[in-house]
Amino acid sequence: MNRTPPIAGAALLALLFTPWPAPLLAQTWQSAAVCGGCHSEIHRTWRGSQHANAFTDPAFRLPYDRLRRENPRKTFTCEQCHNPMRYLLAPDDPRAVSFSLEGVTCDFCHSVSAVDAVGPFPRYRTRPGVKFGPHPGSHGSGPHVTQFSRLHITSEFCAGCHEFRNEHGVPILSTVSEWEKSFYRGTGVHCQFCHLPELFDARFIDGKKKKGPIDHAMVGGHSRERLARAIPMRARLDLAGKEARVVVSVKNELVGHATPTGIPTHRLRLAATLFDAAGNAIDRREEMFERVLGDGTGKALTRPEEIFVSAREELKDTRLKPKETREVRFSFPAGKEAPATASVALTYEIPTPDIAPALRYIEIPVAVQVVPAESGPVRGKAVVLAAAAILAFLAWLLIRKAGTKRG
């Protein structure tokens, strides 16, 4: 019976339990759990993000699985962004399954060295062993090498996944090109300024945030607080003769792209409901802010996989552009009961036909206002009085200026 010499055995145990040198460890792809060992707060916020759940979210998996059954080759493009590590690992790498549960994981984003936003997939070039990001680089002072990357603080970085045309040339995802046409591009405000505000101390985006560990939840249209802050709304109810009018002003104030953006299934619903003095609903009107794509025959597409694969035309685009103010007027004919108030609600809607067919939409309230009725003559009198006051003030200024010159 052969025995391992005591010295050799001790050496073997020491080799097994000795931590790998930092350069060797850094050259292998790491799970997000490894990153969380040092970056616990960043890992916590990322874990609940849409990036982390990009490949496991039922809203993605159900359409993806349908498409995979019908045409498996079409799903390769989906995985380039929803399960990107699959294309960085060797085909037989056993870690592929565990990485798929991490969606857009830490090591993917922070290993990207270049992006080709308009080219074929894969659009990203990576350099394992170096962690790219917004902070100054370091060499050998930690478990991995870091390097400053200007790419990581520009919208170009996001364009690799948030900009996509299908094989028919129809833009399905156009978030970055919407930003490129906006006011924000010329002022140097990139995606990260709003979606990673701590990086820039952008407190006007979220006044509660301060510099510190960067919140990797990267919230946007799924955040009620963020939507309410970004899209202010004003409304009034006018009564004039035999008609009631609800006039609503909505502004896309703090969003650097069209709202809603991304996949053309999300939408904003603006609804106005009239009530009588007893609180009974009298009538209701609605307006949708949305983008609708069709199959080339005028038929609207609603399933996500059909939109990506089969869209050949744009049927409608009534979304709010960056900095756009939209005034919507709802007219109601006079009825037996005079309206006393109007309730105006702006809601962000996410369809859920696959997840909860009976629910139909997840509704995120953006703004709700209840406004009292204002009669036409009273409102007109108020406007005249205000104008008269302004004119009187201007006349007083002119008289005062003339008296000063004479003096």
Side-chain angles (χ1 to χ4, degrees):
M1 179 176 173
N2 294 328
R3 291 188 177 182
T4 303
I7 296 178
L12 179 59
L13 288 173
L15 178 62
L16 289 174
F17 289 96
T18 298
W20 288 9
L24 183 59
L25 180 64
Q27 290 173 12
T28 64
W29 298 108
Q30 298 295 321
S31 165
V34 174
C35 306
C38 292
H39 306 284
S40 57
E41 181 61 18
I42 290 176
H43 179 267
R44 183 189 67 80
T45 56
W46 165 84
R47 184 66 267 176
S49 72
Q50 288 189 284
H51 279 153
N53 297 285
F55 197 61
T56 55
D57 186 342
F60 167 78
R61 286 298 308 203
L62 291 169
Y64 169 83
D65 288 339
R66 278 198 301 263
L67 184 60
R68 187 175 58 174
R69 289 192 295 269
E70 297 169 4
N71 192 339
R73 292 181 62 84
K74 296 286 187 181
T75 62
F76 293 163
T77 300
C78 308
E79 288 196 61
Q80 296 280 356
C81 285
H82 285 263
N83 183 23
M85 290 301 294
R86 172 181 175 179
Y87 298 92
L88 300 181
L89 300 171
D92 57 348
D93 194 315
R95 296 175 297 170
V97 174
S98 60
F99 269 118
S100 72
L101 301 179
E102 298 183 3
V104 183
T105 192
C106 312
D107 227 6
F108 170 69
C109 285
H110 289 283
S111 296
V112 170
S113 60
V115 176
D116 180 1
V118 295
F121 286 98
R123 291 174 166 177
Y124 294 97
R125 290 202 301 274
T126 59
R127 280 176 55 193
V130 178
K131 306 307 176 195
F132 297 96
H135 298 300
S138 64
H139 298 275
S141 60
H144 53 69
V145 174
T146 63
Q147 182 175 321
F148 171 75
S149 168
R150 184 182 178 279
L151 174 67
H152 282 67
I153 56 174
T154 67
S155 298
E156 180 186 356
F157 180 74
C158 309
C161 283
H162 293 273
E163 193 73 20
F164 175 73
R165 288 177 179 264
N166 67 7
E167 62 184 31
H168 307 296
V170 176
I172 310 298
L173 305 176
S174 53
T175 304
V176 177
S177 58
E178 292 160 13
W179 166 84
E180 287 176 342
K181 298 172 185 175
S182 76
F183 155 86
Y184 295 95
R185 182 186 185 183
T187 59
V189 175
H190 291 262
C191 306
Q192 294 85 342
F193 196 82
C194 293
H195 296 284
L196 291 170
E198 301 92 339
L199 187 61
F200 303 93
D201 200 19
R203 297 185 186 182
F204 77 95
I205 297 296
D206 190 339
K208 298 177 183 178
K209 299 293 184 182
K210 298 179 180 179
K211 279 206 169 186
I214 298 172
D215 187 342
H216 277 58
M218 301 187 198
V219 296
H222 293 71
S223 165
R224 177 181 180 180
E225 183 179 359
R226 187 67 61 88
L227 286 167
R229 193 176 179 88
I231 311 173
M233 181 187 79
R234 292 182 294 106
R236 71 174 191 267
L237 169 59
D238 295 335
L239 302 181
K242 297 182 178 181
E243 185 181 57
R245 289 192 300 270
V246 177
V247 183
V248 188
S249 175
V250 181
K251 185 175 184 181
N252 192 5
E253 178 67 71
L254 295 177
V255 184
H257 46 71
T259 301
T261 192
I263 183 169
T265 55
H266 298 187
R267 64 190 188 184
L268 281 170
R269 180 194 298 269
L270 179 64
T273 306
L274 293 185
F275 293 89
D276 62 21
N280 301 309
I282 300 173
D283 205 348
R284 178 185 171 94
R285 298 282 188 276
E286 293 183 348
E287 176 102 356
M288 296 294 185
F289 304 136
E290 61 184 341
R291 183 168 180 248
V292 179
L293 302 183
D295 64 354
T297 67
K299 178 185 175 182
L301 298 172
T302 56
R303 282 190 166 186
E305 73 273 22
E306 293 175 342
I307 290 173
F308 273 87
V309 173
S310 305
R312 288 173 168 79
E313 60 184 338
E314 182 180 86
L315 300 177
K316 176 185 180 184
D317 188 356
T318 57
R319 298 174 298 163
L320 295 168
K321 304 300 185 289
K323 291 294 184 184
E324 177 188 359
T325 299
R326 183 88 54 87
E327 185 175 272
V328 179
R329 294 173 174 265
F330 297 110
S331 295
F332 299 84
K336 294 180 180 180
E337 299 293 334
T341 60
S343 174
V344 182
L346 183 65
T347 308
Y348 190 96
E349 296 185 340
I350 304 170
T352 59
D354 294 315
I355 307 169
L359 183 63
R360 291 181 60 237
Y361 284 94
I362 295 173
E363 298 182 345
I364 303 174
V366 179
V368 178
Q369 289 185 15
V370 177
V371 292
E374 299 181 18
S375 62
V378 172
R379 184 177 181 85
K381 185 177 180 180
V383 171
V384 171
L385 289 174
I390 293 172
L391 289 173
F393 178 70
L394 292 174
W396 175 78
L397 286 178
L398 290 172
I399 293 170
R400 185 179 179 185
K401 187 174 180 181
T404 302
K405 286 183 178 181
R406 284 196 299 270

